[in-house]
Amino acid sequence: MCGISGVVSFHPIDDRLYEGVHHLEYRGYDSCGVAFLENRHIEIRKDIGTVDEVDTKRNLRHLAAHVGIAHTRWATHGKVTRENAHPHTSCGCEFAVVHNGIIANYKELREELKKKGHKFGSETDTEIIAHLIEEHFVRCGDVERAWVGALRQLQGSFALAMISPHEPEHIFCARHESPLIIGVGAESNYVGSDFNAFIDYTKNTVILDDGEYGVVSKDSYSVKSLRSGDVIDKAVTVIPWDSELSRKGGYPHYMLKEIHEQPQAVRTALNIASDDIATVADMVMAAKRTYLLGVGTTYYVALYGQYILATLADLDVSSVSSDEFRYIDKTDASSLVLAVSQSGETYDTVMSLRHAKERGAKTAAVVNVVGSSIARMVDHVILQGSGPEVCVVSTKAALVQMLLLTRLALEIGVRRKVIKPAKHREYEAALTALPGEIETLLNEQSGIIRAAAYRHAHIQNWLFLGRGIYYPIALEAALKMKEVTYIHAEGMPGGFLKHGTLSLVDDKLYTLVMAPPPSCGELHAMTMSSVEEVKARGGFVFGFSYDEKDDIFSERVALAPTHELISPFLPLVGAQLLAYFTATALKRNVDKPRSLAKSVTVA
Ligand code: M6R
């Protein structure tokens, strides 16, 4: 949801702003730009397009300046035009601002500023901030006071960075409900939406909290409260990831790399201390009601969590999409809200947690990004340690989240005496086998799935069916297909089909079915009856299936026999590959699908 990068340095910026926004492009990529100080003037270079396209047109590299800010945009207010691209400046071009978030009261502020004679060059909410700072500066003559005065007038969410020739050695930055961090380097300091903005240069970061602003110079920084102006002593967090991990490492796309990282990500998650899982289990056991929250993929992870807790722990929890939670939130001090988020910054999930906390609920989360808002705001966080997920489309993070909810369900199942010790040992062994089984699937089935994807890439409509715990898997698989291929794919429970959607089935609509192993008994039989229903209407059914006797599929990807507990994970990996290869067949922008952003930090 827009990426911010900034550098202030003893040395020329050179390519560092370009690299910063390049590494943040997964947050938004419809336009981008830089502002830097040259001979005490602000120079702006911006345009529509990706960072590389704008670099070709405007040259964002080899900058001799020592102070600069940059932005890659995901449009919210105003169309994708050069005028609406950031940075934005004040009338006299004395303040340049980049922004992530939404200013709720921008219309009122814009009208007031217009009356005072300010002229606007864009349709954005961001531009008013530059003019507001200018307005305050005219009165007080001090950049920091003008900055603070302007910020205090803003309502809504913002992460901001600003430069001005009146303070040529500084970057001003601030955060309220949108992430912003400072990178503490040697002879250079940085600002960024996240550490990808500067991970090549430093792993030391200072994470701003809501209501804080920073003043960053070449060799120092200070963080202050926006309300009181008091200096805040902030800890330096060392990012545990290497910049190499954020690179493609020989794969054509991050999505394929991240699919292939799943065995390792699962191993890491299996090594997360049992105490960490036990703490959340304590919280679930103590709560009268547990809500599992996520949105998009993480909602499907939460739904998976609902099924696995019911299955293994005989426990009834509610999974709710974070964007809807506010409408049904009945939490109180006896409730637990357990959120799932890769980025830890998703606005709807952050807001739902905040709301639940205000009502006295306990909170916990499974999060991938260390130091993210959600990781810091909850009572207990399980950091999943899956490493950076750069592709906008979530794969390894989601699969690991499902695995961690399975571990949680096992822990609670044992405590509630639903799972006997021998069964528990069997389940543990199944989980330990999962990384190897994913590896086998990737090695042995990728070619088959790729060929199928290329064969069927012309199909415009898909139904993805699953029953029981395969239902959230089918939903997640359909979302992968939609996101990365732009093909319509609708996930639903197998039993739901005959209540309406069956009317769509013809030879042009393809159906994908996730079939459980035959050891699942009735679930397997019922799933196969859905296959029959579609076939009887002349539909083509593509199946991920464990049983060679499942011979009614029009086309079948054979999965190696496995334990029931981990059986939903393997068709999920298969479906990730199907979506990926269909996207490459259609020459889609795999890592940055149109209209999407990795981290949705606005309402
Ligand atoms: O960072 P989060 O996990 O909180 O993000 C939630 C969704 O925005 C995210 O899962 C989205 O649906 C992805 N594009 C899925 O691939």
Side-chain angles (χ1 to χ4, degrees):
M1 223 52 359
C2 300
I4 290 175
S5 148
V7 183
V8 46
S9 177
F10 282 99
H11 309 284
I13 291 171
D14 197 22
D15 290 357
R16 285 180 285 176
L17 283 177
Y18 161 84
E19 286 169 0
V21 279
H22 210 273
H23 297 154
L24 292 173
E25 247 190 327
Y26 62 86
R27 302 178 69 89
Y29 33 82
D30 55 47
S31 54
C32 85
V34 298
F36 52 91
L37 291 178
E38 204 154 66
N39 302 325
R40 290 198 156 242
H41 281 97
I42 292 176
E43 162 123 7
I44 302 279
R45 295 181 187 172
K46 65 180 187 179
D47 217 319
I48 58 170
T50 63
V51 172
D52 275 334
E53 285 162 359
V54 177
D55 175 48
T56 305
K57 286 187 264 188
R58 306 272 166 198
N59 187 19
L60 308 178
R61 288 189 273 181
H62 316 303
L63 304 181
H66 292 248
V67 181
I69 53 177
H71 187 269
T72 178
R73 180 170 185 244
W74 188 82
T76 54
H77 287 68
K79 292 183 284 293
V80 179
T81 60
R82 181 178 180 277
E83 290 69 33
N84 289 340
H86 298 214
H88 291 284
T89 52
S90 55
C91 295
C93 206
E94 289 166 287
F95 303 94
V97 175
V98 290
H99 168 220
N100 172 26
I102 291 177
I103 304 303
N105 59 338
Y106 88 100
K107 284 194 181 135
E108 300 89 291
L109 291 169
R110 192 178 160 109
E111 286 316 304
E112 277 173 33
L113 287 160
K114 268 186 179 171
K115 281 185 200 142
K116 289 178 178 156
H118 289 263
K119 301 268 182 289
F120 290 86
S122 79
E123 304 159 317
T124 64
D125 52 346
T126 304
E127 191 186 349
I128 60 118
I129 303 167
H131 292 272
L132 259 189
I133 300 168
E134 181 177 58
E135 189 62 28
H136 281 271
F137 184 76
V138 167
R139 277 186 261 134
C140 70
D142 178 88
V143 176
E144 187 169 339
R145 279 172 57 202
W147 168 247
V148 170
L151 296 191
R152 285 184 181 157
Q153 282 186 265
L154 302 180
Q155 290 165 14
S157 60
F158 53 81
L160 288 166
M162 183 272 284
I163 55 169
S164 166
H166 297 294
E167 286 278 2
E169 305 266 300
H170 292 115
I171 296 176
F172 293 80
C173 59
R175 170 202 163 117
H176 186 67
E177 294 179 5
S178 284
L180 199 95
I181 61 178
I182 297 171
V184 185
E187 302 188 343
S188 302
N189 285 319
Y190 302 85
V191 299
S193 294
D194 63 46
F195 52 76
N196 286 300
F198 47 72
I199 193 167
D200 284 335
Y201 302 101
T202 180
K203 290 183 177 187
N204 297 328
T205 71
V206 170
I207 300 164
L208 293 193
D209 284 300
D210 285 350
E212 293 177 352
Y213 73 94
V215 184
V216 185
S217 66
K218 295 165 182 174
D219 52 1
S220 68
Y221 62 89
S222 64
V223 177
K224 297 182 185 175
S225 157
L226 192 51
R227 193 175 42 81
S228 66
D230 292 344
V231 174
I232 300 168
D233 198 14
K234 302 287 287 186
V236 173
T237 304
V238 181
I239 300 156
W241 296 344
D242 259 334
S243 58
E244 257 320 291
L245 278 175
S246 301
R247 307 292 176 257
K248 275 191 213 147
Y251 286 93
H253 299 101
Y254 283 110
M255 182 172 177
L256 190 61
K257 175 179 180 253
E258 288 157 9
I259 289 172
H260 278 264
E261 283 171 347
Q262 290 179 118
Q264 187 48 44
V266 169
R267 284 189 188 100
T268 306
L270 289 173
N271 284 326
I272 289 173
S274 304
D275 286 357
D276 224 3
I277 311 284
T279 305
V280 179
D282 291 342
M283 295 170 88
V284 174
M285 299 283 283
K288 261 204 193 136
R289 180 104 211 130
T290 296
Y291 297 88
L292 282 171
L293 290 194
V295 64
T297 281
T298 46
Y299 168 62
Y300 298 146
V301 173
L303 187 61
Y304 169 90
Q306 180 175 350
Y307 275 82
I308 199 74
L309 280 157
T311 309
L312 296 181
D314 196 18
L315 191 75
D316 179 26
V317 302
S318 305
S319 54
V320 188
S321 188
S322 315
D323 59 317
E324 287 292 315
F325 188 62
R326 72 189 87 169
Y327 307 118
I328 57 165
D329 181 4
K330 293 284 171 277
T331 48
D332 59 25
S334 69
S335 321
L336 170 68
V337 178
L338 171 52
V340 185
S341 176
Q342 189 285 131
S343 63
E345 301 292 352
T346 301
Y347 180 88
D348 288 314
T349 310
V350 170
M351 286 303 153
S352 298
L353 283 167
R354 190 167 291 169
H355 196 247
K357 275 167 83 94
E358 279 162 14
R359 296 173 69 108
K362 304 281 179 303
T363 54
V366 178
V367 170
N368 194 33
V369 177
V370 179
S372 57
S373 301
I374 295 175
R376 288 178 303 128
M377 76 192 290
V378 292
D379 299 315
H380 185 78
V381 63
I382 298 177
L383 290 167
Q384 61 183 93
S386 307
E389 191 180 65
V390 177
C391 177
V392 165
V393 177
S394 183
T395 52
K396 63 173 178 173
L399 185 133
V400 165
Q401 288 157 352
M402 290 181 186
L403 175 85
L404 288 168
L405 292 180
T406 308
R407 285 190 64 190
L408 177 68
L410 283 179
E411 173 73 25
I412 298 172
V414 169
R415 293 188 192 190
R416 285 168 59 88
K417 304 202 185 328
V418 181
I419 302 173
K420 302 280 173 299
K423 196 72 185 168
H424 187 241
R425 282 195 295 278
E426 181 189 315
Y427 284 148
E428 291 285 343
L431 290 184
T432 310
L434 180 59
E437 297 198 9
I438 297 175
E439 260 154 18
T440 306
L441 185 142
L442 292 171
N443 292 335
E444 294 178 2
Q445 303 288 26
S446 285
I448 292 165
I449 295 171
R450 183 181 186 281
Y454 275 70
R455 233 180 358 261
H456 305 312
H458 63 287
I459 296 302
Q460 284 302 303
N461 288 293
W462 283 85
L463 278 180
F464 280 42
L465 302 182
R467 285 181 184 252
I469 200 154
Y470 288 80
Y471 162 47
I473 300 291
L475 289 172
E476 168 57 2
L479 185 63
K480 294 304 87 157
M481 188 63 114
K482 278 185 274 207
E483 284 184 288
V484 72
T485 68
Y486 319 153
I487 287 171
H488 174 235
E490 196 176 338
M492 76 182 60
F496 204 85
L497 180 66
K498 55 182 162 305
H499 298 279
T501 315
L502 199 52
S503 67
L504 290 179
V505 172
D506 61 13
D507 58 352
K508 289 187 216 54
L509 174 126
Y510 274 28
T511 301
L512 184 150
V513 172
M514 311 271 185
S519 57
C520 291
E522 196 204 334
L523 185 66
H524 173 259
M526 293 299 287
T527 304
M528 296 314 290
S529 79
S530 300
V531 180
E532 299 275 13
E533 274 168 14
V534 178
K535 291 280 311 262
R537 273 125 193 120
F540 182 98
V541 188
F542 184 93
F544 284 106
S545 116
Y546 287 98
D547 188 4
E548 60 188 24
K549 292 206 254 355
D550 292 347
D551 52 8
I552 53 168
F553 286 112
S554 316
E555 196 172 313
R556 170 175 171 262
V557 174
L559 302 170
T562 192
H563 193 282
E564 267 170 45
L565 181 72
I566 58 169
S567 62
F569 293 100
L570 299 164
L572 175 59
V573 176
Q576 293 168 347
L577 288 172
L578 187 72
Y580 170 75
F581 287 124
T582 306
T584 57
L586 296 171
K587 303 203 179 350
R588 299 298 192 231
N589 190 355
V590 171
D591 289 328
K592 288 176 254 168
R594 69 183 181 201
S595 307
L596 302 183
K598 181 80 182 153
S599 169
V600 184
T601 55
V602 291

